[in-house]
Amino acid sequence: MAVHIKGPKDFWSGLIFAGFGVAFVAVARNYPLGSALRMGPAYFPTLVGGLLAILGVVLIARSAFTAGEAVSHIGLRALVLVLGALVLFGYLLDYTGLVPAIVALVFVSSAGGHEFKWWEVSILSVALVILAVGIFYYGLGMPLDLGPRL
């Protein structure tokens, strides 16, 4: 008996959620789980992975019964720029410090959107730098370089 997919967006998003959920749980199996009172390193990834997998199964089941939209064009340029910005952030964080890495992250990932306005991206960049420095450097006291090491 073949099942007809009435909601392609629900089906594919459910498949992605379920896949990530199963992957989180599989990787977390290599670490001790602990208990609710003494959580081990695998506790949170297992919990979130399980919830993602359940959500994925629900979406996949829903796609068989509820009509939905077709999957539209996937913006490959946006996908590459956002993923590239994350990789660039990780690389720049070690060599240039937190502030330049955040600025690069915001500008490169914003270039993947439909509209790119310099002043909006600049304001967002400054706001995120202030927020990140305030939370991670001052609030949590993390030993991060804010700028390049000279």
Side-chain angles (χ1 to χ4, degrees):
M1 177 179 136
V3 176
H4 178 68
I5 297 172
K6 295 180 181 178
K9 270 190 175 180
D10 283 343
F11 176 77
W12 290 109
S13 60
L15 200 61
I16 290 170
F17 282 139
F20 274 111
V22 168
F24 283 166
V25 171
V27 170
R29 290 184 56 160
N30 297 324
Y31 301 102
L33 184 63
S35 67
L37 294 175
R38 295 188 50 86
M39 296 179 194
Y43 193 87
F44 188 71
T46 302
L47 182 67
V48 172
L51 291 173
L52 276 175
I54 291 168
L55 176 64
V57 169
V58 168
L59 284 172
I60 290 170
R62 183 176 132 172
S63 72
F65 301 107
T66 308
E69 300 176 37
V71 177
S72 62
H73 173 72
I74 297 174
L76 190 59
R77 177 177 175 263
L79 180 65
V80 168
L81 283 172
V82 170
L83 291 176
L86 290 171
V87 171
L88 181 66
F89 173 80
Y91 178 77
L92 289 178
L93 189 60
D94 281 341
Y95 297 102
T96 65
L98 182 65
V99 173
I102 289 175
V103 172
L105 171 76
V106 171
F107 273 87
V108 173
S109 61
S110 294
H114 297 293
E115 294 180 15
F116 183 88
K117 297 180 182 172
W118 284 98
W119 61 275
E120 286 180 356
V121 176
S122 298
I123 291 170
L124 176 64
S125 179
V126 169
L128 287 177
V129 164
I130 291 170
L131 189 65
V133 169
I135 291 172
F136 297 110
Y137 189 75
Y138 292 112
L140 297 175
M142 293 180 73
L144 297 168
D145 292 328
L146 297 181
R149 289 177 248 152
L150 300 174

